[in-house]
Amino acid sequence: MKNYTGSSIAEILETAAAENGVSSQDLKYVITSDNKEEGTVSADVYTMEDVKEFIFDYLGDYFTGIDEDIEVAIEETDNGFIVNLNADNNAVLIGHNGKTLSAFNTVVRSAVNAAFKSRINVLIDVNHYKEDRYAKLRFLAKKLGRQVQKSHVDVEMDPMPNDERKVVHQQLNEWHNLRTESEGEGAGRHVCIRYVPDADEPAENSEAE
């Protein structure tokens, strides 16, 4: 990431693109100053490759610091990165019910967002633990969703981190007669699956809630 100054963002991106040998469409930027009197604007400009290198270096420094050998594979997605780690003792990295992994996700994501002054989606996984966890959550969400549709009785799921709640919300987002909401604070935040009656549904049906 580098700071550029020019008469406009377009000029800055053109300069940065030429300097880095990329298309201006491949660049991201954050405006750091806009001096209307002088007619200049400054911005930090970076590519997603810069973000990828930062993540790799950050993880390398972290695990070198705790003397832990680890394999790191970084995959770029449409809106961020999935980082898969594999170590001699993956269970320690995951922790009980994934709590250590969840905390590590928060630390790394915060470091990336602070470095690039942007909200960048970064998911840290350990030996595809999250991938398997998401699959199980999708299955459970569908099971509970059908249960709520049939019984008209709301269901509260167990507390889970933000990324896992997002999986549930996305799975049931367009299901008929269902609405999902996140409730609670901190470690107790959880998903509620609620029954939503049709506009012409008899009132006595909705009273079952």
Side-chain angles (χ1 to χ4, degrees), residues 134 137-138 163-172:
Y134 289 167
L137 279 174
R138 293 187 187 98
D163 62 298
E164 295 183 4
R165 296 197 307 274
K166 184 177 180 180
V167 170
V168 177
H169 290 310
Q170 290 176 336
Q171 179 62 54
L172 300 178

Side-chain angles (χ1 to χ4, degrees), residues 170-196:
Q170 290 176 336
Q171 179 62 54
L172 300 178
N173 182 46
E174 297 183 359
W175 278 43
H176 186 60
N177 294 125
L178 293 184
R179 181 180 74 249
T180 59
E181 299 175 345
S182 288
E183 296 186 350
E185 300 295 334
R189 197 155 176 79
H190 59 279
V191 175
C192 294
I193 305 174
R194 303 196 180 283
Y195 180 75
V196 181

Side-chain angles (χ1 to χ4, degrees), residues 99-115:
K99 289 183 178 179
T100 301
L101 178 56
S102 179
F104 191 51
N105 261 281
T106 299
V107 170
V108 176
R109 194 178 299 116
S110 296
V112 172
N113 291 345

Side-chain angles (χ1 to χ4, degrees), residues 4-15:
Y4 293 84
T5 299
S7 60
S8 67
I9 289 296
E11 179 184 309
I12 286 175
L13 294 180
E14 183 179 349
T15 301

Side-chain angles (χ1 to χ4, degrees), residues 48-89:
M48 294 306 280
E49 186 63 28
D50 292 330
V51 181
K52 183 177 180 179
E53 290 180 7
F54 176 89
I55 295 172
F56 191 84
D57 291 343
Y58 184 90
L59 293 174
D61 291 342
Y62 177 84
F63 287 107
T64 297
I66 63 174
D67 195 25
E68 179 77 43
D69 290 331
I70 193 164
E71 296 177 1
V72 180
I74 304 178
E75 174 189 353
E76 184 175 351
T77 64
D78 292 338
N79 58 351
F81 297 90
I82 296 176
V83 183
N84 195 60
L85 307 178
N86 195 10
D88 291 335
N89 195 343

Side-chain angles (χ1 to χ4, degrees), residues 114-126:
F116 292 91
K117 304 180 183 68
S118 302
R119 188 178 182 85
I120 300 172
N121 290 325
V122 179
L123 174 66
I124 307 296
D125 202 353
V126 174

